[in-house]
Amino acid sequence: MPRRSTSSRTGNPSGGPSGSRTGGSPEPRNRTPQPLPRRRRSFGDFVKALLAFVALAVLLVGVPYALALTIGWPFPDGTPSLDWLQEEITVNTFLGVLGVIVWIAWAQFTACVLVEIKAALSGVGMPGRVPGAGPSQLLARQLVAALLLVGATAASLTPGLSQLGHSYDDNQRGTVASAQATPGGSLSGIFAQQQEQAATTAAALGQQAADAASHAEVGGPSVKAGDTKYYRIQPPEGRHHDSLWEIAERHLGDGRRYGEIYQLNKDRVQPDGSRLSEASLIRPGWIMQMPGDARGGDLVDMSSTATPDAGSTVSPQVAQQINTYAQTGDHAQGTGGGQQGGTASLDTNTTRISIPKQQSPTATPAVHHEQPGQHAAAETVTSAESSDAGFSFGLPEALVGAPLLAAGLLGALGRRRRQALWQSALGAVGGRRGMEPPTPTGAAADAQDALLIGADPEGVRLLDRSLRGLAASLAGESRPLPTVYAAWLSNGDLHLQLAQPAGKPPAPWQLGQDQTFWLLSRTDAERYEDVDTAAPYPGLVSLGTMDDSRLLLNLESVPGIVSLSGSESDRAAVFASVAAELATNGWSDRMTITLVGFGQDLTPLAPNRLRHLDDIEALVETMEAETRQRRGALGAAGHDSVLTGRTGPAQHTRWAPHLVLLAAEPSADDAVKLAELAADASRLGIGYLVGTDSGDLPGAAWEMEITSEGKLLAPLLGLELDAQTLPVAQQRAIVELFVDADPEHAPDGPAPTPPFLVDISEQGRPAVYARLVGPYEIIGLDTPDGERSPLQHEALALLLLHREGVHPRVLASALWPRGVTDDVREALLDRLRVWLGTDPDGTPRLATDANGRLTLAKSVVSDLDVLRSLYHEGTQGRGADSRVVRGRLLTDALALVRGPLLADRPEGRYGWLSHEIIDAQLPLLVADIGLALSEFHLVKNRAERAIEALDAALNSAPGDERLWHELLRATHTTGDTDKLQQVAADLIRRSGARGLPPRTEALLDELLPTWRDGTAAVG
């Protein structure tokens, strides 16, 4: 896993400037700074603006005036009557109809102009679409743009229209607005602070103009600050606002250094009397002190000679403002020469998606982290420099360091293997097929080991219960679900970051660091139990880690598109990770994930969730239809969003999310179409993650970049994460595991040989014999002394269930789910070797194979090994040709079954069994033995002996339908109707509320036509 940086981060952990048009995707540090073009207004611009004003005046005022004079008002003079339909059609009738059409066209154009003016002046939100006004709205947009190109300066002298009706509340400084993002715009469409910025920018400009007019001449000397340089925030050009990120990119060569500028100017009084308190809230006319290595023609160098840099001229009024500003704050002396390439840490008040504050300043040891395998993943960092890229201790580190993804994949793989077992059992003829799943080899084996090490099923369970419990509590209080943008898993605690304050959370949730954080401690989460409610936030998906905190972004709630830039291979690894986790996570119910431009090979992970489309055209067509359908369904149901629908009576059947992952960069036209679809997507439960080469995507609400070093950067969100990825090699290995486990992929032919067979003759008596089927007992070894005895027993059980070998770190992860150090693990292995001892020839009974996996000698055997060997030998070995041998071997095998696997295991241990399929294999194996032995006795008409064998098998496999069918047939051959009726009654009682399967009912109808009446009497 990529090393976490312990130094100050280059990305702002607390937020970033949000005025950037492109989102400020950072470039490499050796990139030559490219100044943002600042086009000065020419005489031609004024001419265009004048012509646009004249055209608008003619169209908006002249046209209705001319129509009123020549044709008249479009409204009738009196009440319409049916006599109008019988009047003769004349030329005046046609003129009247034509006049009404022109009036309608004028009204539509006027609406377009008003919509465009509102969008242009507010600076936020996608311009509304006037129905049927494509060409008219395009003309209105061009005229308004031409007028405002010059009018931006004049408009700055008076408060903007967007200021009316807006107020600002300091308590909501960290919240996010629900406004939609504008195609080609920036985060101004997301965050509430941006609405306040748009409302106050015009007022700030007016104050600056008033200050400039009040200064007749410059007074006071220039500040003698050595090489101190200053920058004056520029007014917006069109709809583009200046930002600290772009200023740092132009003048410091790296946008990520904007934190230095923020620290130099934080809380200093600006010329308009306000202060810089958030890195994203800067206003035109403000002064910014710059680090000493800043370069560029827009800077003002207030040296001892008071001579500006070449190429930069300022008015006396501006020079006076800079001179006054330099006298303020603690930064006036000695701070102009910041270290080049350095990064300053920012206050938490600048956050957008911020890291939750810890409850205690005391650092929690890694061994106590909430994620099993997390400590092991952290340990691999120390050896990462000496290992191959992407691997650690020989296993794929991308999977080891992704506990939630690994848990989801491991759970889905287990379900797939169990499904294959049951399907094979139900379809078996003449014996069991596919009892043993194929043993992975090569890269697939390494991937499986990495999943076992990294998986955190307990963390997934707690996350799922916590979210559902929150939804149930809110529903009980008749409160809607709040919009959640992100979740942080930090030192065992769950922090939900809300889009906006939603009041006091229901107990045991608490308010976090501010009104937009809801916090649930791990202790409180463990008290939650399963509740019958829909998953409230199924769109949460892991993106990476920052300072031991794991970020899950709610793709479903983003008000617009999430764009991802970077190289194609790096983007593909992020997309694959997101797709795999969404497809297999344990905190969602139903979901549709559409993959475009990648992922065709990923569909075996979850065929019911993942679908692949060939091109963007098909995607746009599909999503247009679904968007219309969801809007209509929401309206018909009376819900304003899918969140309110999930807490209603139809929560389990509707409002499943649809997440679109588009790896291929769309064309300009397709990008606009996607932006229009995404504008209302968060309300409809649809999310878009789109890849881009340029980093400039219309409608992108949140912009991220994946670097070649494995960093996921979102500077305007204040994020620099160690990205969670799934590289191509690991994708193929994971897919191979799922394909091999597919029930349809199971090979035909005879049942495969078990991976480990023992000598069942008297000469094959083992040196160490462990009884696992039933209570755990060990014969041939002394019981270890001390408190470590249970740990050694558990380790031996794990090794016995995996005769193919166990990676040492897989063993450690199973025994210590929250992590363990290398010395503790090695100490356990040493004790195991001493405990197990050596064979008479000196061979150690615990060895390490060529792949580094721990293996047991053949002299160490379990009853499960014997059970498999007896059944295999009785059905496919010597017993296949000898009836006497077959009967003896099957009888011996059934006698070994003393109960469920590890029946007396202590509570809280052996949690790794949840990853295994032995709990499904053992009942099926016992059922196969019982069926084979029953058949053996029924051939000789020994029905009572057959019934005894079936009853014994049912004690370990009570839910196996095949055993019940054979028991009914065997009982029927005895001719005892009462006993048959009693078996039917037992079967019905076991079936419970589900009722009997159709095939069982059909068999009862054949063997006991009166079973329904008789069952009631017996009951």
Side-chain angles (χ1 to χ4, degrees):
M1 189 169 67
R3 184 188 299 272
R4 286 198 185 94
S5 176
T6 57
S7 60
S8 37
R9 300 181 298 277
T10 56
N12 177 10
S14 321
S18 58
S20 172
R21 176 177 60 86
T22 66
S25 299
E27 298 290 337
R29 287 185 178 274
N30 60 357
R31 174 183 180 271
T32 302
Q34 298 293 329
L36 185 71
R38 293 293 184 185
R39 180 176 176 272
R40 297 184 179 274
R41 294 169 178 81
S42 64
F43 177 76
D45 293 331
F46 285 94
V47 173
K48 291 179 181 178
L50 178 61
L51 293 177
F53 175 77
V54 172
L56 286 173
V58 169
L59 292 173
L60 296 180
V61 180
V63 169
Y65 182 74
L67 287 173
L69 290 180
T70 58
I71 299 179
W73 296 104
F75 307 107
D77 297 333
T79 304
S81 64
L82 294 177
D83 295 337
W84 285 15
L85 301 177
Q86 301 174 359
E87 292 181 357
E88 181 180 358
I89 299 177
T90 63
V91 175
N92 291 333
T93 304
F94 282 107
L95 291 177
V97 173
L98 181 61
V100 171
I101 294 175
V102 175
W103 274 109
I104 294 175
W106 171 83
Q108 185 188 61
F109 179 77
T110 302
C112 294
V113 172
L114 293 176
V115 167
E116 293 297 327
I117 290 177
K118 178 183 180 296
L121 291 180
S122 66
V124 294
M126 178 182 293
R129 296 183 61 185
V130 179
S136 297
Q137 190 160 4
L138 179 60
L139 175 61
R141 184 173 304 165
Q142 292 173 343
L143 292 176
V144 171
L147 180 61
L148 294 183
L149 178 63
V150 175
T153 301
S156 67
L157 299 177
T158 57
L161 294 175
S162 60
Q163 185 177 1
L164 299 177
H166 287 269
S167 62
Y168 183 67
D169 185 354
D170 289 336
N171 292 331
Q172 297 184 10
R173 187 172 292 273
T175 65
V176 182
S178 60
Q180 304 304 320
T182 306
S186 64
L187 274 127
S188 59
I190 309 175
F191 299 110
Q193 290 88 343
Q194 298 310 102
Q195 292 183 333
E196 188 271 344
Q197 179 183 1
T200 57
T201 296
L205 288 173
Q207 181 64 38
Q208 288 297 314
D211 291 343
S214 66
H215 286 83
E217 56 185 7
V218 180
S222 296
V223 173
K224 296 182 179 180
D227 193 27
T228 305
K229 297 169 185 172
Y230 295 87
Y231 176 82
R232 187 170 183 267
I233 305 300
Q234 300 298 314
E237 291 212 5
R239 299 176 65 182
H240 176 82
H241 295 262
D242 214 342
S243 69
L244 290 186
W245 177 275
E246 289 186 340
I247 295 170
E249 190 173 50
R250 292 197 304 272
H251 299 296
L252 299 177
D254 190 343
R256 288 173 288 186
R257 293 185 61 190
Y258 73 95
E260 300 175 45
I261 305 175
Y262 172 79
Q263 288 295 329
L264 288 175
N265 299 276
K266 178 177 176 289
D267 293 331
R268 297 172 65 178
V269 179
Q270 292 292 336
D272 62 356
S274 54
R275 299 172 185 266
L276 174 65
S277 60
E278 297 192 24
S280 62
L281 290 181
I282 58 175
R283 300 176 182 175
W286 279 9
I287 308 299
M288 294 289 117
Q289 182 178 334
M290 302 291 292
D293 61 330
R295 297 291 182 268
D298 293 338
L299 298 179
V300 178
D301 183 0
M302 298 299 290
S303 63
S304 58
T305 59
T307 303
D309 281 349
S312 176
T313 59
V314 295
S315 66
Q317 291 84 355
V318 173
Q320 172 62 29
Q321 290 178 356
I322 294 176
N323 187 55
T324 302
Y325 180 75
Q327 304 291 342
T328 64
D330 296 332
H331 311 272
Q333 301 294 334
T335 57
Q339 296 179 355
Q340 185 167 356
T343 304
S345 61
L346 301 185
D347 289 356
T348 54
N349 289 333
T350 63
T351 58
R352 292 308 182 199
I353 290 186
S354 54
I355 301 180
K357 295 178 180 177
Q358 302 304 317
Q359 290 182 303
S360 172
T362 303
T364 303
V367 71
H368 297 305
H369 283 179
E370 78 280 5
Q371 297 142 343
Q374 183 75 13
H375 182 83
E379 291 176 10
T380 67
V381 174
T382 59
S383 60
E385 296 178 355
S386 59
S387 62
D388 294 335
F391 286 80
S392 190
F393 49 85
L395 296 179
E397 124 187 354
L399 296 173
V400 172
L404 304 184
L405 169 62
L409 289 171
L410 205 57
L413 183 60
R415 290 190 295 272
R416 184 69 56 83
R417 286 173 172 171
R418 289 182 178 87
Q419 181 184 9
L421 284 173
W422 282 106
Q423 288 191 12
S424 178
L426 294 177
V429 178
R432 180 77 179 90
R433 296 291 181 266
M435 171 62 71
E436 301 295 334
T439 302
T441 58
D446 290 339
Q448 179 170 278
D449 285 343
L451 293 178
L452 290 168
I453 294 173
D456 181 12
E458 178 66 11
V460 171
R461 184 182 67 86
L462 290 179
L463 177 62
D464 181 49
R465 286 186 174 183
S466 300
L467 296 177
R468 293 180 193 267
L470 174 63
S473 298
L474 291 172
E477 298 176 7
S478 299
R479 295 171 59 186
L481 285 167
T483 300
V484 170
Y485 277 154
W488 289 92
L489 291 173
S490 180
N491 290 334
D493 298 334
L494 173 61
H495 305 253
L496 295 184
Q497 189 161 1
L498 313 184
Q500 56 190 7
K504 183 179 180 180
W509 291 79
Q510 309 170 28
L511 285 176
Q513 62 196 49
D514 58 40
Q515 295 290 324
T516 62
F517 274 95
W518 284 6
L519 165 65
L520 181 69
S521 67
R522 183 184 180 94
T523 304
D524 292 330
E526 290 173 344
R527 298 193 184 104
Y528 267 121
E529 297 182 355
D530 293 329
V531 294
D532 184 21
T533 190
Y537 304 112
L540 286 169
V541 63
S542 302
L543 292 184
T545 58
M546 177 191 287
D547 294 343
D548 295 327
S549 296
R550 184 169 301 276
L551 171 66
L552 288 83
L553 183 67
N554 191 2
L555 282 178
E556 184 188 13
S557 71
V558 177
I561 293 174
V562 178
S563 69
L564 178 65
S565 61
S567 68
E568 185 175 356
S569 60
D570 292 331
R571 293 200 318 261
V574 174
F575 272 102
S577 171
V578 171
E581 185 168 301
L582 288 173
T584 60
N585 73 52
W587 55 87
S588 63
D589 299 322
R590 297 180 303 113
M591 184 186 300
T592 300
I593 308 164
T594 298
L595 312 179
V596 184
F598 83 106
Q600 189 169 7
D601 295 337
L602 292 176
T603 51
L605 302 185
N608 295 331
R609 285 193 179 187
L610 290 171
R611 69 175 179 181
H612 181 270
L613 297 182
D614 294 330
D615 51 44
I616 301 177
E617 182 180 355
L619 172 66
V620 172
E621 181 180 354
T622 300
M623 298 314 299
E624 284 179 342
E626 180 156 350
T627 299
R628 289 193 301 268
Q629 180 182 5
R630 291 202 172 208
R631 282 175 180 161
L634 275 179
H639 298 306
D640 57 353
S641 72
V642 296
L643 288 179
T644 56
R646 284 183 188 151
T647 56
Q651 55 178 313
H652 289 292
T653 58
R654 304 170 71 176
W655 320 124
H658 186 168
L659 303 176
V660 176
L661 308 182
L662 173 58
E665 182 168 17
S667 65
D669 292 341
D670 289 333
V672 172
K673 293 178 182 177
L674 288 174
E676 293 174 348
L677 290 172
D680 196 30
S682 61
R683 186 178 68 90
L684 305 176
I686 303 175
Y688 293 87
L689 177 62
V690 181
T692 173
D693 295 325
S694 62
D696 188 4
L697 190 68
W702 293 347
E703 297 175 332
M704 300 184 296
E705 177 191 10
I706 177 67
T707 69
S708 58
E709 293 80 17
K711 295 291 184 180
L712 189 66
L713 308 178
L716 297 185
L717 299 178
L719 298 178
E720 180 181 347
L721 305 172
D722 291 329
Q724 179 173 297
T725 60
L726 188 60
V728 174
Q730 281 75 71
Q731 292 178 42
R732 293 171 179 168
I734 292 296
V735 170
E736 180 181 341
L737 290 172
F738 276 80
V739 170
D740 289 344
D742 193 328
E744 304 298 330
H745 185 73
D748 297 329
T753 302
F756 179 74
L757 294 176
V758 301
D759 185 357
I760 57 177
S761 66
E762 186 65 27
Q763 292 75 20
R765 183 180 297 275
V768 178
Y769 182 67
R771 304 178 73 179
L772 304 179
V773 185
Y776 190 4
E777 300 174 0
I778 298 179
I779 301 172
L781 292 176
D782 295 332
T783 302
D785 297 331
E787 298 178 354
R788 298 188 180 96
S789 176
L791 204 61
Q792 292 178 229
H793 279 75
E794 185 176 356
L796 179 58
L798 177 61
L799 292 168
L800 286 168
L801 292 178
H802 290 278
R803 303 303 305 226
E804 73 278 8
V806 178
H807 195 286
R809 291 186 180 270
V810 173
L811 179 66
S813 177
L815 300 179
W816 293 282
R818 297 193 180 187
V820 68
T821 55
D822 289 344
D823 57 340
V824 175
R825 182 187 71 243
E826 293 303 324
L828 170 70
L829 295 181
D830 290 340
R831 288 194 297 272
L832 273 176
R833 292 187 180 96
V834 173
W835 182 40
L836 291 174
T838 59
D839 286 333
D841 59 358
T843 303
R845 291 169 182 162
L846 179 62
T848 303
D849 65 11
N851 296 321
R853 289 178 168 82
L854 300 170
T855 58
L856 293 173
K858 292 185 177 181
S859 59
V860 183
V861 173
S862 73
D863 55 354
L864 186 59
D865 298 326
V866 177
L867 188 67
R868 287 169 172 160
S869 300
L870 288 171
Y871 175 67
H872 179 267
E873 188 70 17
T875 56
Q876 301 181 49
R878 290 178 296 144
D881 300 324
S882 172
R883 172 179 170 80
V884 175
V885 172
R886 182 167 68 254
R888 178 173 56 82
L889 292 176
L890 291 176
T891 301
D892 291 344
L894 196 59
L896 289 176
V897 181
R898 301 174 299 125
L901 187 75
L902 298 169
D904 59 350
R905 59 180 180 267
E907 185 178 357
R909 301 215 60 87
Y910 295 84
W912 47 270
L913 282 173
S914 62
H915 299 320
E916 308 285 342
I917 63 169
I918 185 62
D919 61 335
Q921 286 177 305
L922 180 58
L924 288 175
L925 176 60
V926 173
D928 287 343
I929 295 172
L931 290 171
L933 190 56
S934 171
E935 181 185 12
F936 171 82
H937 290 304
L938 287 176
V939 170
K940 293 296 184 178
N941 295 320
R942 295 195 291 263
E944 294 296 335
R945 298 287 300 276
I947 292 173
E948 290 179 3
L950 293 170
D951 283 337
L954 280 169
N955 289 331
S956 296
D960 198 308
E961 187 181 3
R962 299 171 302 159
L963 289 174
W964 285 105
H965 288 178
E966 289 305 309
L967 181 60
L968 289 171
R969 293 189 181 99
T971 305
H972 180 263
T973 60
T974 64
D976 190 339
T977 304
D978 293 337
K979 190 172 184 178
L980 181 61
Q981 187 74 52
Q982 184 63 49
V983 172
D986 292 341
L987 179 57
I988 293 172
R989 279 194 295 269
R990 285 179 178 270
S991 64
R994 299 171 308 187
L996 295 175
R999 290 186 298 184
T1000 303
E1001 288 189 353
L1003 180 61
L1004 282 172
D1005 289 338
E1006 175 67 23
L1007 301 179
L1008 187 64
T1010 61
W1011 65 275
R1012 290 179 174 85
D1013 298 334
T1015 299
V1018 172

